[in-house]
Amino acid sequence: MDKIVKDILLLRQKSDFCSKKESKNIFEQLKLVMKFHDNCLGLAAIQLGIKKRASIYKRNNESSELVELLNPTIIKKEVPIIYKQEGCASFPGQYHDTKRFKIITVKDDIHGERKVVGMEAIIVQHEIDHMDGVLFFDRKQQPIERTTKKVGRNDPCPCGSGKKYKKCCGNL
């Protein structure tokens, strides 16, 4: 079952507001398609040809738990990084190093406002980009010039978790 859209012109369109009533059917369709794509970490409605601001994603690679996003926006971005070899279900076999952020604050109609860190933050950014008509290769980057002191492996993690960096966001 491969309903994932590969049409760049459609994927570049911005998605429209999605009501909670509309989202129920959309989330069911997204979950059904995700079942057939084991390596897929997230899926936005636009990838099924539905121009609505709805998405689902796995919290991390090992998790089967799916998180729903409805009309999400990123409020704050912290700790810029280059994420190595990002891919997309709409463009199988293509991978690029992309500019992302390790820590974001996101607001949506299901979860309200919350801080998201690590791999989950990268996935959420990717899915929100889809809803904004931005594709992952638009974020293709050369390494970022460091403007702040590099965080050491044994330093406290800048996400505020209280853990050492190597045990938290440093293992992306």
Side-chain angles (χ1 to χ4, degrees):
M1 171 164 208
D2 194 5
K3 291 177 63 174
I4 297 178
V5 171
K6 295 168 179 44
D7 179 355
I8 290 178
L9 295 178
L10 174 61
L11 292 170
R12 289 220 181 266
Q13 295 181 24
K14 286 190 175 188
S15 297
D16 301 321
F17 175 85
C18 185
S19 71
K20 286 188 178 184
K21 185 177 181 180
E22 291 173 303
S23 73
K24 289 179 183 178
N25 182 280
I26 293 170
F27 287 137
E28 290 306 313
Q29 290 180 60
L30 289 167
K31 288 174 185 174
L32 183 63
V33 173
M34 280 277 286
K35 282 183 185 179
F36 293 95
H37 294 274
D38 292 337
N39 294 334
C40 186
L41 297 178
L43 203 56
I46 192 72
Q47 290 178 277
L48 300 185
I50 304 166
K51 241 178 77 173
K52 294 292 182 177
R53 291 189 70 80
S55 175
I56 61 170
Y57 69 92
K58 293 180 185 175
R59 217 175 268 289
N60 59 50
N61 285 337
E62 294 83 36
S63 175
S64 60
E65 174 191 2
L66 293 175
V67 179
E68 299 173 347
L69 287 174
L70 183 61
N71 303 311
T73 55
I74 296 174
I75 297 169
K76 186 176 181 183
K77 301 173 183 177
E78 304 172 66
V79 191
I81 62 165
I82 299 295
Y83 181 70
K84 301 288 184 182
Q85 298 296 301
E86 183 171 337
C88 180
S90 290
F91 303 97
Q94 290 188 36
Y95 301 94
H96 299 285
D97 295 352
T98 56
K99 180 182 178 186
R100 295 291 180 193
F101 294 86
K102 280 189 182 180
I103 306 166
I104 60 171
T105 302
V106 66
K107 182 178 181 181
D108 79 300
D109 293 347
I110 296 172
H111 307 284
E113 188 175 314
R114 63 193 173 104
K115 189 176 266 196
V116 183
V117 300
M119 187 64 189
E120 184 176 2
I122 303 228
I123 296 167
V124 170
Q125 290 168 79
H126 182 102
E127 297 313 318
I128 291 175
D129 274 355
H130 272 302
M131 294 178 235
D132 293 337
V134 177
L135 302 175
F136 78 115
F137 44 76
D138 296 334
R139 302 258 185 227
K140 188 175 174 181
Q141 293 291 314
Q142 298 301 318
I144 298 172
E145 281 188 39
R146 186 170 305 284
T147 58
T148 58
K149 180 185 173 275
K150 183 176 179 179
V151 178
R153 291 175 35 84
N154 291 312
D155 290 341
C157 190
C159 75
S161 68
K163 297 179 183 177
K164 288 184 178 182
Y165 178 69
K166 69 181 176 185
K167 296 283 187 178
C168 191
C169 295
N171 66 7
L172 281 180

